[in-house]
Amino acid sequence: MGRLTAASLAVALLGGLLLAGLPARALGFTGFGATLADAIYGANMTFRVDLQGGAPEELELLLRFAGDDATFVAPVEAEGDSAQYVWDTADRHVTPNTTIRYSWRATSGGRVTVSRQGTLLYDDDRPGLDWQSRQLGDARVHWYGGAEAVATGLGGLAADGAARAESLLGHEMVGPVDIFVYEGRDEFFGALGPAAREWTGAATYPQLRTIFMWLEAGNQDYLETTLVHEVTHVVFNDATDNPFHEPAKWFNEGLASWSETQSAAQERAEVEFEAGAGGLFAFEAIAEQFPIGERGSRLAYAQGATMVDMIVANHGTEAIARIADAYRAGASDDEALRAGTARPADDLYAEFFADFDADLPQPVEPAPIPPSDVRKPGGRGGSVEEQPAASPAATPSVALEPQAAPAQPGIPWLAVGGVAAAVLLVGIGGWVYSRRARPEASR
C-alpha cells in the first residue's frame, strides 16, 4: 500500500507538471493585446492587433465611419499571434477628415470578446500639403502654401454665414466646421475622389462637418457666395438631423442658395424663362435627387430657392425655423411644410406654378415592358428546382469584457484527454511494478 500510495503521488505530480508545461498557445485565445491603426492618404488604411494565446476560431474587424450609422464587418485571417487588415483607399475612396472608430471581435469556444475601441483620423497628408490651421469663431480653416490671406478671409466669412444660418433656422451648430482650402485642381479633386463631377468648385460633407474649397474655381465673389452656401448646409444638417429621412433636397439646396444673398432674384429669372420654354419640375421629382444635366440641375436649384423666397415673403423667416423643427422631429415633407406655413404642400406647389403661369407638372406614364426574350433554363421540359434555404448558423452568446481582464477560456478537452491518458498509463505501470517487486508471502 505504501508503494502504491507513492506511485499515485508520483502520477499526480507528473499530471500537474504536464498541465503546467502546456504552452499558452495550446490553451487557445485568451484576449486582445496592443492594437494599432495607420493610414497613408490615397493608398491604404492598416489595422493591426496582437492576439494573446494565439488565434481565435473567428476574428473580425469592426469599422464605424463618421456620419454613417452602419458598421462595416471584415473577416480577418490571423497569422500566429497577430492579425492585420488593409483597406485599399486607392480602390475604395474615403473622404479626408473622416474619423474611423474600430474594434476587433473574436469568437472562440462559443464566446465573443470585443477589444477596446480605437480611433483613426484619415486626413489628407499628401506630400507638399503642409497644412496650417486657424480657428475663427465656429469655423476652423486649413490651408497650405501661400493661401493664408485668402483662407483666413474665407474662414471669417464662414463664421458670419454660420451665425446667420443659425438665426434663420433657430438652431445652433453642434460643433465647429472644418474648411480645407486647396490651391491646385489635382489636389482638390484628389480629395473629392473619382465620383466628383468635373464642374465642381466646392463640396460639403455635412455629416463630417467639412467643406472643401478650390481657389481657382472662380473669382472672389464666387468663392464668398459659395462658402456661405456650403456652410448653410452644415447648419441645416444640424437643425434637421433625424433618424427617419432626409428633408426634401429642393428645400435644402434652395435654402442654401437663398442664403447667399438673402433673396432669389437671379433664380426667379431662371424659373420664368424655363416656365415659358420647356416647363418646370414637380417638387416631388426633385425631393431626393437633382438631374445630372446642367440645365436640369440649374433649374432644380432655381426652383428651390424661389420657393424658399416665396415662403419667407408670405410667412416670414420664422416659417423656416418651424419647418426645420418639424423635420428634426421626424415629419414628412408635407408635414414639415404644413408646420411652417399652416398650408398643405400641394397648395404651396399649386401657388408656385400659378405665380409663374405654368401648368402643373403631370406624372410621366411608364413605357410598357416588352415580353422577355431570355431563354429559360431546363431544356426538354426540364425545370430549375428551388433549393431549400440553409439553416441559419447558431448565434454564440455575447459577453463584452473589459480589455484589462479578458475572459479566460476553459482548458481544451483535447489537452485534458491527453494528460488523463498519460496519467492512467503511468498509474497502471506503477501498479504493475509494485506487484512484481513485492516479496511473496511465507507459506
Side-chain angles (χ1 to χ4, degrees), residues 292-317:
I292 294 177
E294 181 180 353
R295 174 181 173 272
S297 179
R298 189 174 64 246
L299 176 57
Y301 276 95
Q303 279 192 221
T306 310
M307 173 63 90
V308 168
D309 192 60
M310 187 184 79
I311 292 174
V312 170
N314 295 340
H315 305 279
T317 55

Side-chain angles (χ1 to χ4, degrees), residues 11 14-16 18-20 22 411 413-425:
V11 168
L14 177 59
L18 287 171
L19 285 174
L22 284 174
I411 298 173
W413 288 111
L414 182 60
V416 172
V419 172
V423 170
L424 180 61
L425 289 175

Side-chain angles (χ1 to χ4, degrees), residues 179-362:
I179 304 167
F180 290 84
V181 179
Y182 287 84
E183 293 185 2
R185 184 184 188 280
D186 291 343
E187 290 80 6
F188 173 72
F189 280 96
L192 301 190
R197 306 293 297 181
E198 64 278 4
W199 39 260
T200 304
T204 304
Y205 296 82
Q207 295 83 0
L208 302 179
R209 318 193 65 76
T210 302
I211 300 172
F212 300 101
M213 300 285 296
W214 175 29
L215 291 184
E216 298 180 3
N219 57 28
Q220 188 66 23
D221 289 342
Y222 167 83
L223 295 176
E224 292 178 356
T225 56
T226 298
L227 186 56
V228 172
H229 179 111
E230 303 299 342
V231 77
T232 300
H233 280 311
V234 179
V235 183
F236 182 88
N237 181 75
D238 289 346
T240 61
D241 187 37
N242 69 85
F244 303 103
H245 76 114
E246 294 183 1
K249 188 175 181 67
W250 67 259
F251 184 69
N252 186 351
E253 292 292 355
L255 183 65
S257 299
W258 183 88
S259 297
E260 296 174 8
T261 59
Q262 304 288 299
S263 72
Q266 182 176 349
E267 289 83 359
R268 184 175 182 84
E270 177 78 19
V271 176
E272 288 176 346
F273 173 80
E274 293 293 345
L280 304 178
F281 291 123
F283 282 94
E284 294 89 345
I286 52 176
E288 295 186 11
Q289 294 292 335
F290 281 3
I292 294 177
E294 181 180 353
R295 174 181 173 272
S297 179
R298 189 174 64 246
L299 176 57
Y301 276 95
Q303 279 192 221
T306 310
M307 173 63 90
V308 168
D309 192 60
M310 187 184 79
I311 292 174
V312 170
N314 295 340
H315 305 279
T317 55
E318 298 82 3
I320 302 299
R322 291 194 296 267
I323 293 173
D325 286 341
Y327 272 127
R328 191 165 63 253
S332 65
D333 294 337
D334 180 72
E335 291 169 339
L337 292 172
R338 188 189 296 264
T341 66
R343 297 183 61 189
D346 287 343
D347 287 358
L348 293 174
Y349 300 155
E351 180 184 2
F352 180 90
F353 293 118
D355 187 33
F356 290 96
D357 196 22
D359 295 331
L360 287 173
Q362 299 300 315

Side-chain angles (χ1 to χ4, degrees), residues 25-41:
R25 189 181 303 277
L27 297 177
F29 172 78
T30 60
F32 291 106
T35 60
L36 176 67
D38 194 14
I40 301 175
Y41 186 80

Side-chain angles (χ1 to χ4, degrees), residues 49 62 81 91 106 116 132 151 181 189 229 278 319-320 335 354 381 418 434:
V49 65
L62 312 180
D81 57 1
D91 180 57
R116 287 196 182 101
Q132 306 294 316
V181 179
F189 280 96
H229 179 111
I320 302 299
E335 291 169 339
S434 67

Side-chain angles (χ1 to χ4, degrees), residues 116-137:
R116 287 196 182 101
Q117 189 178 77
T119 302
L120 173 67
L121 176 64
Y122 184 72
D123 55 351
D124 190 353
D125 58 356
R126 284 175 286 178
L129 302 184
D130 52 337
W131 292 105
Q132 306 294 316
S133 303
R134 183 175 300 175
Q135 185 80 36
L136 298 167

Side-chain angles (χ1 to χ4, degrees), residues 102-198:
Y102 65 92
S103 56
W104 294 86
R105 182 168 66 191
T107 304
S108 197
R111 189 176 182 84
V112 175
T113 305
V114 180
S115 73
R116 287 196 182 101
Q117 189 178 77
T119 302
L120 173 67
L121 176 64
Y122 184 72
D123 55 351
D124 190 353
D125 58 356
R126 284 175 286 178
L129 302 184
D130 52 337
W131 292 105
Q132 306 294 316
S133 303
R134 183 175 300 175
Q135 185 80 36
L136 298 167
D138 287 330
R140 189 164 48 215
V141 64
H142 310 267
W143 74 91
Y144 61 90
E148 178 178 2
V150 177
T152 53
L154 292 175
L157 186 64
D160 293 341
R164 290 197 301 271
E166 287 175 328
S167 177
L168 177 65
L169 290 162
H171 192 275
E172 293 185 1
M173 286 202 303
V174 300
V177 56
D178 284 301
I179 304 167
F180 290 84
V181 179
Y182 287 84
E183 293 185 2
R185 184 184 188 280
D186 291 343
E187 290 80 6
F188 173 72
F189 280 96
L192 301 190
R197 306 293 297 181
E198 64 278 4

